[in-house]
Amino acid sequence: MTRATDTVLKGLEEIRPWVENLYKDLHTHPELGLREHRTAAKAAEALRADGYEVTEGIGGTGLIGVLRGGEGPTVLLRADMDALPVAEATGLPYASTATAQNADGTSVPVMHACGHDVHVASTLGFARLMARAPDAWHGTVVVLFQPAEEDGVGADAMVADGLVDRSPRPDVVLAQHVLPYPAGYVGIKPGSFLSAADSTKVTLYGRGAHGSMPQHAIDPVVMAAMAVVRLQTVVSRELGAATPAVLTVGSITAGTGPNIIPDRAVLQLNVRTYDEDTRADVRAAVERIVRAEAAASGATRDPEFETLAAFPPTVNDEAPTGTVAAAFTEHFGEQAHTIERQTASEDMSRIPEAFGVPFTYWGIGGTDPAAYEKATAAGRLTSDIPVNHSPHFAPVLQPTLDTGIRALTAATLAWLAAPEG
Ligand code: ZN
Ligand code: ZN
């Protein structure tokens, strides 16, 4: 495996300027979810030039590139393409000044504030190296470029548009994300890695009346207030101390003036959990408490629950995670780490789930190592380090891009390396 990895990576120096320019170009031209037309076209163009069979327009702007190298396993590598409505404040020469129209017609700034441009550029770099070293491996490489990860809908869109029938069936799915660790860092862990995130809108119905005549009202403001207080007990009283979860009511709205009791109140809540059982328990507890508070107030109409966004938990399968961790240790030595569980969320796991195959997902660092060391001197990450989604998020070009390419290569060749002879 080592020899195959080294053989494929021999071409890295030669393609490095191309990868860096591609990254800067993508960074300057970010696109919001489901509108990654330019990004997808760039990816398709590069893949075709490298001899990949390309299928575009899967789930809107999603695409796959397939490179066949004879008999052997199939590895699918996923990169997300979308950017965020954030006004870039990095001051980089290749910073974005792009804007886009929101659904309501207003103009919003657009920035690659989550590093998905790192994922696209390093995956295309990896794809090129694999195409140029056909003797080092056998099997099939599938690179997949996914839209709209940030909204949690892109992976589902590709699956709903027939991904499983339009792609070779992989034996394993791999993915990576740039995170606020020092550039050069790679980290992976088996089991639960990223949280599930569920955002729900709850509408509580009461009965409106004059503020001076509460006896004629069913007051949804009181109902909502009681529900918010009692929802605090879901994590603190219903889950064990070793079960991490977060329940936040981020928005509560009701009423228009001091002397009018409104007829409804709306809560928006966000729940983070790390496994499906806890996720289901918390969901059930939220519903039970909200319904019970409505009943306690004498509401004559049941509360309504609307899902605003639902990200599954990302739970790395043990076997492929062990395989990739060993490949990382072999290739990166001391730069290979066991990463901590993250509170962020991902929809990537919908793809291996659709194929019914295992997956593993790891993190790479993007922060300037000197700045990271300074900021963490106190023993913990401080606000000096811009994290994902910050307007100051600016991964250093290198070794971030090289590390992304090397990680994808070492991991893939753990399945596809030609036997060493
Ligand atoms: Zn993000
Ligand atoms: Zn992201």
Side-chain angles (χ1 to χ4, degrees), residues 179-185 339-342 363-368 372 385:
L179 293 169
Y181 291 90
Y185 167 108
I339 196 167
E340 303 91 335
R341 189 150 59 177
Q342 312 281 315
I364 62 168
T367 306
D368 173 35
Y372 186 89
I385 298 283

Side-chain angles (χ1 to χ4, degrees), residues 200 202 204 223 226-239 247 267 269 271 277-297 302-305:
T200 308
V202 178
L204 290 152
M223 203 188 296
M226 299 301 269
V228 170
V229 172
R230 192 154 186 112
L231 285 170
Q232 308 308 310
T233 66
V234 175
V235 173
S236 68
R237 303 290 82 186
E238 298 196 32
L239 299 181
L247 190 164
L267 307 178
L269 41 109
V271 173
D277 286 348
T278 310
R279 189 184 188 197
D281 288 348
V282 171
R283 190 180 295 165
V286 166
E287 279 211 33
R288 190 191 75 239
I289 286 169
V290 169
R291 286 186 196 286
E293 287 298 345
S297 293
D302 282 341
E304 280 172 11
F305 300 84

Side-chain angles (χ1 to χ4, degrees), residues 186-258:
V186 290
I188 192 165
K189 81 178 282 298
S192 115
F193 178 41
L194 305 175
S195 71
D198 293 290
S199 291
T200 308
K201 178 179 165 186
V202 178
T203 306
L204 290 152
Y205 294 99
R207 185 193 300 136
H210 197 290
S212 69
M213 304 173 202
Q215 71 275 23
H216 295 295
I218 297 170
D219 190 342
V221 174
V222 174
M223 203 188 296
M226 299 301 269
V228 170
V229 172
R230 192 154 186 112
L231 285 170
Q232 308 308 310
T233 66
V234 175
V235 173
S236 68
R237 303 290 82 186
E238 298 196 32
L239 299 181
T243 305
V246 179
L247 190 164
T248 293
V249 181
S251 166
I252 170 167
T253 49
T256 52

Side-chain angles (χ1 to χ4, degrees), residues 316-396:
N316 279 337
D317 288 293
E318 301 277 340
T321 304
T323 303
V324 172
F328 283 174
T329 301
E330 206 174 333
H331 181 69
F332 290 102
E334 285 188 349
Q335 292 284 70
H337 299 266
T338 301
I339 196 167
E340 303 91 335
R341 189 150 59 177
Q342 312 281 315
T343 47
S345 304
E346 252 292 349
D347 66 347
M348 185 281 311
S349 63
R350 300 287 191 211
I351 292 167
E353 183 184 78
F355 284 105
V357 301
F359 71 89
T360 192
Y361 184 106
W362 63 85
I364 62 168
T367 306
D368 173 35
Y372 186 89
E373 201 175 321
K374 197 168 151 231
T376 53
R380 63 179 190 277
L381 202 58
T382 69
S383 55
D384 294 348
I385 298 283
V387 299
N388 303 64
H389 293 206
S390 155
H392 299 282
F393 185 68
V396 291

Side-chain angles (χ1 to χ4, degrees), residues 16-387:
R16 191 176 290 131
W18 172 71
V19 174
E20 290 182 359
N21 284 331
L22 181 65
Y23 168 76
K24 289 179 190 168
D25 177 73
L26 295 168
H27 192 85
T28 308
H29 300 284
E31 296 169 298
L32 293 177
L34 300 176
R35 293 189 237 168
E36 306 91 337
H37 300 287
R38 186 180 182 278
T39 310
K42 287 263 165 195
E45 184 193 333
L47 291 170
R48 287 206 176 93
D50 292 330
Y52 283 70
E53 296 159 36
V54 177
T55 308
E56 290 176 86
I58 308 180
T61 47
L63 71 138
I64 58 167
V66 179
L67 189 64
R68 294 176 205 275
E71 286 292 304
T74 297
V75 177
L76 186 152
L77 305 100
R78 174 277 207 171
D80 41 10
M81 300 189 286
D82 54 323
L84 287 158
V86 171
E88 178 152 3
T90 60
L92 290 166
Y94 50 91
S96 161
T97 54
T99 57
Q101 296 291 113
N102 241 349
D104 64 6
T106 55
S107 177
V108 289
V110 188
M111 173 191 175
H112 266 299
C114 201
H116 299 182
D117 44 359
V118 172
H119 310 161
V120 172
S122 54
T123 302
L124 288 172
F126 155 82
R128 179 155 291 186
L129 292 181
M130 291 295 281
R132 289 186 179 181
D135 296 335
W137 59 277
H138 50 66
T140 301
V141 175
V142 183
V143 284
L144 179 151
F145 295 85
Q146 183 205 303
E149 182 280 325
E150 296 290 353
D151 309 312
V153 298
D156 274 343
M158 291 189 77
V159 170
D161 201 16
L163 172 66
V164 169
D165 300 319
R166 296 165 82 175
S167 165
R169 181 186 158 82
D171 293 282
V172 66
V173 173
L174 308 176
Q176 63 184 6
H177 206 299
V178 62
L179 293 169
Y181 291 90
Y185 167 108
V186 290
I188 192 165
K189 81 178 282 298
S192 115
F193 178 41
L194 305 175
S195 71
D198 293 290
S199 291
T200 308
K201 178 179 165 186
V202 178
T203 306
L204 290 152
Y205 294 99
R207 185 193 300 136
H210 197 290
S212 69
M213 304 173 202
Q215 71 275 23
H216 295 295
I218 297 170
D219 190 342
V221 174
V222 174
M223 203 188 296
M226 299 301 269
V228 170
V229 172
R230 192 154 186 112
L231 285 170
Q232 308 308 310
T233 66
V234 175
V235 173
S236 68
R237 303 290 82 186
E238 298 196 32
L239 299 181
T243 305
V246 179
L247 190 164
T248 293
V249 181
S251 166
I252 170 167
T253 49
T256 52
N259 62 345
I260 311 156
I261 296 170
D263 69 350
R264 68 192 61 193
V266 175
L267 307 178
Q268 294 191 59
L269 41 109
N270 182 256
V271 173
R272 304 268 163 166
T273 51
Y274 286 97
D275 62 78
E276 290 290 0
D277 286 348
T278 310
R279 189 184 188 197
D281 288 348
V282 171
R283 190 180 295 165
V286 166
E287 279 211 33
R288 190 191 75 239
I289 286 169
V290 169
R291 286 186 196 286
E293 287 298 345
S297 293
T300 52
R301 184 171 162 190
D302 282 341
E304 280 172 11
F305 300 84
E306 184 193 337
T307 299
L308 300 176
F311 289 84
T314 301
V315 183
N316 279 337
D317 288 293
E318 301 277 340
T321 304
T323 303
V324 172
F328 283 174
T329 301
E330 206 174 333
H331 181 69
F332 290 102
E334 285 188 349
Q335 292 284 70
H337 299 266
T338 301
I339 196 167
E340 303 91 335
R341 189 150 59 177
Q342 312 281 315
T343 47
S345 304
E346 252 292 349
D347 66 347
M348 185 281 311
S349 63
R350 300 287 191 211
I351 292 167
E353 183 184 78
F355 284 105
V357 301
F359 71 89
T360 192
Y361 184 106
W362 63 85
I364 62 168
T367 306
D368 173 35
Y372 186 89
E373 201 175 321
K374 197 168 151 231
T376 53
R380 63 179 190 277
L381 202 58
T382 69
S383 55
D384 294 348
I385 298 283
V387 299

